[in-house]
Amino acid sequence: MSYDDNNIFAKILRGEIPCKKIYEDEFILSFYDINPQKKIHALVIPKGKYVDLDDFSQNASLNEMAGLLKGINIVAKKLGISLDGGEGYRVLSNIGENGGQEVPHLHFHLFGGEKIGKMVQ
Ligand code: 5GP
């Protein structure tokens, strides 16, 4: 699947649609999910144009990969849900149709602030 420049997260990255920003650096943007599924529900997205985790794993640079992983930790710390002071959280990325992915720009969901419960319903 090729990258669709008109997906909603591409528009957020370009500043065409607002978001409740949590953190931004050269590699990632993080903001609150518009339809939170848990007490804390944040999204972390790479700035590069990657459809999903498969695309990212195959085509991103090592710097982008490190930036994304480190970014998730930075955001979790900022939200107070990492194990440095918080009580843990869940990271999830949906990939493709069977994975339930709706927005075709790679993103990680961070759920926290309460017990997240069963891994898969
Ligand atoms: P997916 O199902 O693709 O893994 O998750 C997409 C997520 O993006 C959903 O949780 C949905 O609520 C969120 N989302 C969709 N549109 C917007 C938007 O315009 N702004 C924000 N902040 N989140 C959005």
Side-chain angles (χ1 to χ4, degrees):
M1 185 195 206
S2 62
Y3 186 83
D4 172 11
D5 271 312
N6 285 321
N7 78 74
I8 201 93
F9 293 169
K11 291 180 180 173
I12 286 175
L13 277 170
R14 290 196 296 267
E16 294 167 11
I17 288 179
C19 69
K20 272 181 70 184
K21 192 193 288 187
I22 299 165
Y23 174 77
E24 180 172 17
D25 63 25
E26 69 175 296
F27 296 110
I28 65 150
L29 175 66
S30 176
F31 48 93
Y32 289 101
D33 197 290
I34 205 167
N35 182 23
Q37 301 298 309
K38 293 290 171 189
K39 206 163 170 187
I40 295 176
H41 184 174
L43 298 169
V44 175
I45 70 174
K47 288 202 166 166
K49 298 179 178 184
Y50 300 102
V51 176
D52 55 30
L53 189 56
D54 285 346
D55 183 16
F56 187 78
S57 302
Q58 289 167 40
N59 298 308
S61 69
L62 294 178
N63 273 350
E64 288 175 299
M65 291 183 188
L68 179 57
L69 274 185
K70 284 181 177 292
I72 289 172
N73 176 250
I74 292 168
V75 170
K77 278 187 180 162
K78 233 176 144 50
L79 292 170
I81 58 176
S82 78
L83 292 181
D84 311 321
E87 293 179 69
Y89 59 105
R90 180 169 298 160
V91 178
L92 177 109
S93 188
N94 296 319
I95 300 162
E97 198 181 333
N98 277 8
Q101 182 176 6
E102 287 169 9
V103 179
H105 180 111
L106 172 61
H107 51 281
F108 288 87
H109 297 261
L110 272 61
F111 300 107
E114 62 181 322
K115 288 244 187 312
I116 304 308
K118 272 177 72 169
M119 191 158 71
V120 179
Q121 308 278 352

